[in-house]
Amino acid sequence: MGRYVIRRLLQMIPVFIGTTLLIFLMVNVQGDPIAGLCGDKQCDPATITQLRKDFGLDKPLWQQYLTYMGHVFSGNFGTAFNGEKVIDLMGSAFPVTIRLTLVAIVFELVIGIIFGVITGLRRGSFVDTGVLLLTLVVIAVPTFVTGLLAQLLLGVKWNIIEPSVSSAAPLDELIVPGLVLASVSLAYVTRLTRTSIAENARSDYVRTATAKGLPRHRVVIRHLLRNSLIPVITFIGTDIGALMGGAIVTERIFNIHGVGFQLYQGILRQNTQTVVGFVTVLVIVFLVANLLVDLLYAVLDPRIRYA
């Protein structure tokens, strides 16, 4: 196991460098960020030259990237064009998005797995057909439509929730936005669990456990569910980074000042430092989540061992 972890950590290094380089290049080809700093009027040449020198934009692109990576490894993600340090923006944005993501993952795990187990054990029944149709509708409807409908009905018409989340973003105000964010992933988790449960229910080890006279709930929870969760855990592990990075729409609808909000503002203002800094952290989250998922395989299925 130790050798496997070390090997995976070494594999993460070129992935991290390649991903951040690609993001850095893509953000920098969007246009000249200095052009929009003077408002509607065009900056005079002397001001542009000084600003480009202050932010290091007068250097070659490869040198800018090396300078940026040096700052990253020292814990400094640079300064935004409005003068704020990117690390300070992260300190206020990431806790909010992490809470929102945790709420979404709880919905995925609880509702998705419960519905998946019920439909997998009752494959072909009326309940199974109804859940499959419902998940198909959820997958087909875009997140911004689901979010706007939830905000209109629950927040405006029925006054069950506040239409906009407050600046503190407590957990109770993030329940509905978290459900909206998790809606599509929840539907996929339900379908994955259902398929895995239905396939493994016909396996020999399940028949043997049933023939031994074990209670049905023990067969389902300890034997069937445990082995059926491997594809679900794989999906959720890769979905963590997607939820944090894809929260732009949900955070915009409910006025949540998290990672999605900062990324949107950074893209809108062509703020290279902000966008690259936030996406760099999201890449790290994605890589670590995938490593943890691989290690969970051996916990869920004792037959899996890492040489």
Side-chain angles (χ1 to χ4, degrees):
M1 178 70 77
R3 292 182 180 179
Y4 175 78
V5 173
I6 294 174
R7 188 167 66 248
R8 283 298 309 272
L9 290 174
L10 292 176
Q11 291 174 355
M12 288 167 59
I13 296 175
V15 175
F16 174 73
I17 294 175
T19 308
T20 52
L21 176 60
L22 181 62
I23 295 167
F24 189 86
L25 294 176
M26 291 176 63
V27 172
N28 276 275
V29 299
Q30 287 183 343
D32 187 7
I34 300 298
L37 292 182
C38 297
D40 297 332
K41 296 181 180 180
Q42 187 176 2
C43 298
D44 61 272
T47 303
I48 292 177
T49 302
Q50 185 60 42
L51 288 174
R52 293 181 65 85
K53 183 179 180 180
D54 292 340
F55 290 105
L57 299 178
D58 57 335
K59 300 177 182 177
L61 201 56
W62 64 269
Q63 192 171 350
Q64 294 181 38
Y65 175 74
L66 292 179
T67 303
Y68 171 75
M69 292 302 295
H71 290 163
V72 168
F73 287 115
S74 64
N76 178 19
F77 289 88
T79 305
F81 293 142
N82 59 358
E84 289 187 88
K85 290 188 175 297
V86 177
I87 193 68
D88 294 336
L89 296 175
M90 292 180 179
S92 61
F94 268 99
V96 176
T97 299
I98 288 174
R99 289 198 296 271
L100 179 63
T101 304
L102 289 176
V103 172
I105 291 174
V106 168
F107 278 121
E108 288 184 30
L109 289 174
V110 176
I111 300 177
I113 291 177
I114 290 177
F115 280 6
V117 171
I118 293 174
T119 54
L121 294 175
R122 301 180 181 180
R123 190 172 184 176
S125 64
F126 175 78
V127 176
D128 180 31
T129 304
V131 172
L132 285 179
L133 289 176
L134 180 61
T135 54
L136 185 61
V137 171
V138 172
I139 293 172
V141 177
T143 304
F144 68 87
V145 175
T146 307
L148 289 174
L149 284 175
Q151 186 184 53
L152 176 63
L153 296 177
L154 300 178
V156 178
K157 288 188 174 294
W158 300 336
N159 293 321
I160 299 177
I161 63 171
E162 292 293 332
S164 297
V165 176
S166 61
S167 57
L171 280 175
D172 57 334
E173 294 184 9
L174 295 177
I175 292 177
V176 174
L179 182 58
V180 170
L181 179 62
S183 57
V184 176
S185 299
L186 190 154
Y188 281 119
V189 168
T190 301
R191 286 174 164 260
L192 280 173
T193 307
R194 170 194 175 272
T195 303
S196 189
I197 288 287
E199 290 178 354
N200 291 326
R202 299 189 294 268
S203 301
D204 292 338
Y205 69 89
V206 175
R207 294 175 182 173
T208 302
T210 305
K212 286 181 178 180
L214 294 177
R216 181 172 175 79
H217 71 274
R218 186 174 180 182
V219 173
V220 171
I221 296 175
R222 188 164 184 176
H223 297 278
L224 180 58
L225 181 59
R226 186 173 179 178
N227 290 325
S228 300
L229 282 181
I230 290 180
V232 178
I233 295 299
T234 302
F235 175 81
I236 292 177
T238 57
D239 197 43
I240 292 176
L243 288 175
M244 295 185 67
I248 296 178
V249 175
T250 305
E251 291 185 358
R252 286 289 296 170
I253 292 174
F254 293 97
N255 193 34
I256 302 173
H257 289 191
V259 173
F261 176 82
Q262 295 294 342
L263 280 174
Y264 174 79
Q265 294 295 326
I267 295 172
L268 192 65
R269 299 171 181 174
Q270 294 185 354
N271 201 326
T272 308
Q273 298 290 343
T274 302
V275 176
V276 177
F278 273 84
V279 176
T280 299
V281 176
L282 291 177
V283 170
I284 296 174
V285 171
F286 184 84
L287 292 175
V288 173
N290 276 269
L291 176 61
L292 294 177
V293 166
D294 288 345
L295 297 180
L296 278 175
Y297 287 162
V299 177
L300 293 173
D301 192 345
R303 296 170 298 180
I304 298 176
R305 288 292 180 266
Y306 299 111

